Amino acid sequence: MTPDIARDWGLSFDDLLFLAALPEDACLEVALQLCHLRRTGRFAEDWSCISDDALLYVASQIEQPDARPHRSFDDRTARRYRVKLIEHLDLSRATAGDLAALKTWLLTEACPLGGSGAEMIQQSFLRFRDHGFIPPSEKALSRIVRSVRREFLDGYLVSVLNALAPETISKLESCLANPSEDHGFQRLKADVGAATLDNVLDAAERLEFIHSLALPFELLAHINPSWLATLTRRVEGETATEMRRHSKARRLGLFAIYLMSRRARMIDGLADLLLEVVHRIGTKSRRKVISRIAADIEKVHGKERLLVDIATAAMLTPNGRVADVIFPVATAVKLKAIIDEHRAKGTLDVRIQTIMRGSYASHYRRMLPSLLSVLEFHSNNETWRPILDALSLIVRLNEEGRRLVPESLAPEGSIPRKWRDTVVDQRGRLNVISFELCVLTQLRERIRAKEIWIAGADRYRNPDDDLPKDFPQKREVYYTRLNLTRDAKAFSGSVREQLEQELLQLNATMLSNEKVRIRWSGENRIGITPFDPVPEPKRLMTLKSEIGRRWPMTGLLDTLKETALETGFLDAFETSATRETLPRDVRDQRLLLCLYGLGTNAGLKRVAAGVPDVSYDELKCKTSDLI
């Protein structure tokens, strides 16, 4: 027995005296109802909600067998015993003033904290219990909670509407009236797409339009994020026609909230496109340069043989003079020609950067002004301030249309050593296109490391926002809970020591490990043999055979339905709408079909085609509402 069981399901001496006066066949049922009422503030409506441990503990206190009751909850005997329980606990009936106070409490305290309707219903039952009131039926309390939640949302949507400028209202109405246009309702709901130049420009244009609306983002701080998620899901599940049917406050308020929450996802998507494009330019250029080097080695006659001859001569006479050992094998003229050829082509980094510059300048450079106009970069580390200053310089140079500028204009520390030969020419001039690419490659690495963050983003937000709000005051407490030291040198030293030990162990066992192969050529130098499959459990085959014998023709959908009936997991899906009008069996049927279609990857259209009384639109609507 756990302490929770004893606390929640214990009976007092007065309770035992009260139960002793009841018929013996009703004692266990009334005792369970008594404990359940004290624990949850409501009568039990289903005996299966009481655990076996609780049933055993209550039965042992009144010396009754632990057989689970089976009496119906709506018969006259059960109602009579409930009246006796109410008298024993001295509960009173809630007045109209008490119900008004409950609504006020829900509106001012419970709703701002978020939470589902079921959670608010349970909080209301507990409030009735704490105030000594008779609990109403769940159906009646559900109506009160739904009414208050709708009133709270209506008030919030009105406040959003009042904060919108007349120009913003006109633009939002135009988006709903013309949903298929560039800035229409359907276009604004679309994802950013794959990493292509057109998608980058399109996403930047849509994000710039959202910025131009001057939406009241400060109102998002006045409501719990769970409400925002619910409202966003509601808008995503509706068409422009359905949106236009709402009242003005609800229509424009929902649309404005959706666009405000949508902005963060669009910024994240646009940042992903930027990172992917820069990475693609680099990898393609590197692959192209390496293939050209391989072609040069094969094309130049005798170059590889010459290298072998030089190495052999040097090994045979390690202490000899170059003129006596090397020049007889490779003349000075031949070696100078090879050196000149290499210098003409440049080092590997320079060659890769040259190819990157060509690809960027001819195609991807058009995206830069749009990106820098809608994305606002920041950093909490002064080390990376030169990159931010370089971005400001790039914007100014693009506005002026300059291609070559003095090197002194570049912020100090913004050009790494390996990029200097590409960015700065022999006359000390800064190539603006190469400088842009140099800054973008650094920006990509710093964004991925969260050294640079983007205003208004979600995944790329300020890393300080990831910390608890009371972190400065409770820094020691959090470090203690995480078992971490505040000494940066000690922390990095422990990580370095752990990595060294792992690398030493890897180095010691790699050559004798039959599962690892070391290659001296190719892109993947270390090859690892796939792991052997885990042996099948001994009794799994027996279990499969027994299931096949008992239910030989049972499909996955039937199994999913039986699981839902046994566990009731469908109750965990809560609608994003204000209420549900579908009968429970129809709602559960459509939800099961949606889960089956999505889980098996069969798709909603194929599932709807196989069920005559359900359409694709109905399944799609239920998916957006519940899933």
Side-chain angles (χ1 to χ4, degrees):
M1 180 186 66
T2 63
D4 291 340
I5 293 290
R7 182 191 68 228
D8 296 338
W9 299 92
L11 296 170
S12 66
F13 182 72
D14 291 338
D15 295 336
L16 295 176
L17 289 179
F18 164 70
L19 295 172
L22 300 177
E24 185 175 353
D25 62 342
C27 281
L28 181 58
E29 174 186 342
V30 177
L32 290 173
Q33 288 284 17
L34 174 61
C35 295
H36 192 275
L37 180 60
R38 278 183 176 155
R39 177 171 169 266
T40 64
R42 63 204 296 185
F43 290 107
E45 299 291 346
D46 185 1
W47 292 120
S48 62
C49 68
I50 299 176
S51 65
D52 293 337
D53 292 338
L55 176 63
L56 179 62
Y57 180 61
V58 173
S60 65
Q61 294 179 82
I62 59 177
E63 299 179 353
Q64 291 279 341
D66 57 344
R68 192 173 294 273
H70 53 79
R71 189 191 307 273
S72 175
F73 291 97
D74 56 357
D75 62 9
R76 288 186 298 175
T77 303
R79 289 197 295 271
R80 185 171 68 251
Y81 288 139
R82 291 191 183 190
V83 172
K84 291 182 178 295
L85 275 176
I86 291 171
E87 294 173 352
H88 171 67
L89 296 175
D90 195 22
L91 301 180
S92 60
R93 188 174 298 278
T95 64
D98 298 326
L99 294 178
L102 172 67
K103 293 180 180 179
T104 303
W105 175 79
L106 286 172
L107 186 63
T108 58
E109 297 187 28
C111 285
L113 298 178
S116 63
E119 293 172 347
M120 291 186 183
I121 290 174
Q122 183 57 40
Q123 292 173 5
S124 301
F125 275 119
L126 295 177
R127 182 177 173 84
F128 272 97
R129 179 200 64 183
D130 297 338
H131 286 75
F133 294 139
I134 300 173
S137 66
E138 183 172 355
K139 189 174 182 180
L141 199 54
S142 177
R143 286 197 300 268
I144 294 175
V145 169
R146 285 202 310 269
S147 173
V148 172
R149 285 170 63 91
R150 184 179 181 87
E151 182 180 354
F152 174 80
L153 280 182
D154 288 342
Y156 181 72
L157 294 177
V158 169
S159 67
V160 173
L161 175 63
N162 294 334
L164 298 177
E167 297 82 2
T168 302
I169 294 177
S170 177
K171 291 180 180 180
L172 294 179
E173 293 284 17
S174 177
C175 292
L176 293 173
N178 306 286
S180 300
E181 292 187 354
D182 292 341
H183 299 146
F185 181 70
Q186 293 301 126
R187 294 287 299 127
L188 292 175
K189 290 170 63 176
D191 293 329
V192 294
T196 63
L197 177 61
D198 292 338
N199 286 340
V200 171
L201 296 176
D202 179 64
E205 184 184 3
R206 283 184 283 154
L207 185 57
E208 185 176 7
F209 172 74
I210 294 178
H211 286 164
S212 69
L213 294 176
L215 297 172
F217 288 94
E218 65 278 1
L219 292 181
L220 296 183
H222 300 165
I223 192 170
N224 191 277
S226 62
W227 283 111
L228 296 178
T230 300
L231 296 176
T232 302
R233 282 175 48 203
R234 187 177 302 175
V235 176
E236 286 179 345
E238 293 190 358
T239 63
T241 304
E242 293 169 333
M243 288 286 291
R244 290 194 297 268
R245 291 173 184 164
H246 296 306
S247 63
K248 181 178 180 180
R250 177 170 289 268
R251 175 176 69 248
L252 296 178
L254 284 174
F255 195 17
I257 291 172
Y258 174 77
L259 291 180
M260 287 189 284
S261 61
R262 175 73 174 156
R263 185 191 68 157
R265 286 184 291 166
M266 290 191 67
I267 292 177
D268 286 339
L270 198 55
D272 288 334
L273 294 184
L274 171 63
L275 302 185
E276 178 64 23
V277 166
V278 175
H279 176 67
R280 180 182 298 176
I281 294 173
T283 52
K284 285 188 175 181
S285 300
R286 183 179 184 85
R287 194 179 301 120
K288 186 180 296 185
V289 169
I290 291 176
S291 63
R292 288 182 180 179
I293 291 175
D296 289 343
I297 293 176
E298 295 177 357
K299 183 174 64 174
V300 178
H301 178 70
K303 185 181 292 186
E304 186 176 0
R305 179 64 184 175
L306 183 62
L307 177 61
V308 174
D309 292 342
I310 292 174
T312 303
M315 291 297 297
L316 292 176
T317 314
N319 297 324
R321 297 172 62 238
V322 173
D324 299 335
V325 177
I326 303 299
F327 283 174
V329 177
T331 64
V333 176
K334 201 166 194 177
L335 292 177
K336 185 177 184 302
I338 295 175
I339 294 172
D340 293 340
E341 179 186 0
H342 173 73
R343 287 178 176 174
K345 293 181 177 179
T347 62
L348 179 62
D349 285 338
V350 173
R351 296 174 68 176
I352 292 175
Q353 292 161 8
T354 303
I355 298 297
M356 290 177 65
R357 182 187 184 281
S359 176
Y360 171 74
S362 63
H363 184 65
Y364 287 106
R365 189 169 183 254
R366 288 189 294 144
M367 72 179 181
L368 191 60
S370 299
L371 283 174
L372 297 183
S373 66
V374 296
L375 298 182
E376 185 179 347
F377 300 98
H378 300 273
S379 178
N380 301 331
N381 191 340
E382 286 298 323
T383 305
W384 309 114
R385 173 57 56 183
I387 297 180
L388 302 182
D389 295 338
L391 291 173
S392 301
L393 175 63
I394 289 172
V395 173
R396 180 163 61 87
L397 295 178
N398 271 276
E399 292 175 351
E400 297 173 358
R402 302 174 67 179
R403 295 296 182 91
L404 295 172
V405 296
E407 180 187 358
S408 59
L409 291 180
E412 184 179 356
S414 62
I415 305 176
R417 182 180 302 175
K418 69 175 185 178
W419 277 91
R420 179 162 294 278
D421 293 340
T422 304
V423 175
V424 182
D425 62 14
Q426 296 178 354
R427 298 172 58 182
R429 296 179 303 178
L430 191 73
N431 188 298
V432 175
I433 296 179
S434 299
F435 180 64
E436 292 174 358
L437 190 57
C438 167
V439 173
L440 287 179
T441 54
Q442 297 178 79
L443 180 65
R444 176 180 182 270
E445 298 303 323
R446 293 308 102 209
I447 291 178
R448 296 181 66 201
K450 283 204 166 185
E451 295 286 357
I452 293 179
W453 51 275
I454 306 174
D458 182 25
R459 287 185 288 111
Y460 300 105
R461 63 182 177 271
N462 187 350
D464 289 348
D465 295 341
D466 297 334
L467 296 173
K469 296 185 181 300
D470 58 351
F471 183 78
Q473 295 78 20
K474 298 184 177 180
R475 183 185 295 265
E476 288 291 346
V477 176
Y478 287 117
Y479 272 91
T480 303
R481 290 181 179 178
L482 296 173
N483 196 23
L484 295 175
T485 177
R486 292 187 61 180
D487 187 351
K489 293 184 178 180
F491 174 76
S492 59
S494 63
V495 174
R496 186 182 298 108
E497 182 180 357
Q498 181 181 359
L499 291 175
E500 288 177 354
Q501 293 297 327
E502 296 292 340
L503 289 174
L504 289 173
Q505 182 180 0
L506 175 65
N507 183 64
T509 59
M510 184 179 292
L511 294 178
S512 59
N513 192 337
E514 297 179 354
K515 302 291 186 180
V516 179
R517 299 184 305 279
I518 307 297
R519 301 189 182 97
W520 301 107
S521 61
E523 293 185 0
N524 301 318
R525 301 298 180 89
I526 301 178
I528 301 177
T529 304
F531 293 109
D532 295 331
V534 178
E536 190 176 78
K538 296 180 180 180
R539 304 187 66 87
L540 182 59
M541 184 56 67
T542 305
L543 179 61
K544 289 180 179 179
S545 301
E546 181 63 20
I547 291 176
R549 187 187 66 81
R550 291 191 182 188
W551 304 289
M553 298 298 292
T554 303
L556 180 59
L557 185 56
D558 295 327
T559 305
L560 184 63
K561 177 184 175 183
E562 290 298 323
T563 305
L565 294 176
E566 289 292 333
T567 63
F569 75 90
L570 295 181
D571 297 335
F573 291 88
E574 184 176 357
T575 179
S576 60
T578 55
R579 60 191 178 90
E580 283 187 305
T581 57
L582 282 177
R584 187 55 183 264
D585 57 340
V586 178
R587 177 253 196 195
D588 289 348
Q589 179 203 20
R590 294 181 183 178
L591 180 56
L592 282 174
L593 292 174
C594 292
L595 294 174
Y596 177 78
L598 297 174
T600 60
N601 216 20
L604 300 182
K605 287 186 178 180
R606 186 172 298 176
V607 171
V611 182
D613 57 341
V614 177
S615 67
Y616 167 69
D617 289 335
E618 291 171 340
L619 294 183
K620 187 177 179 181
C621 177
K622 194 54 60 180
T623 300
S624 61
D625 284 347
L626 296 171
I627 302 176

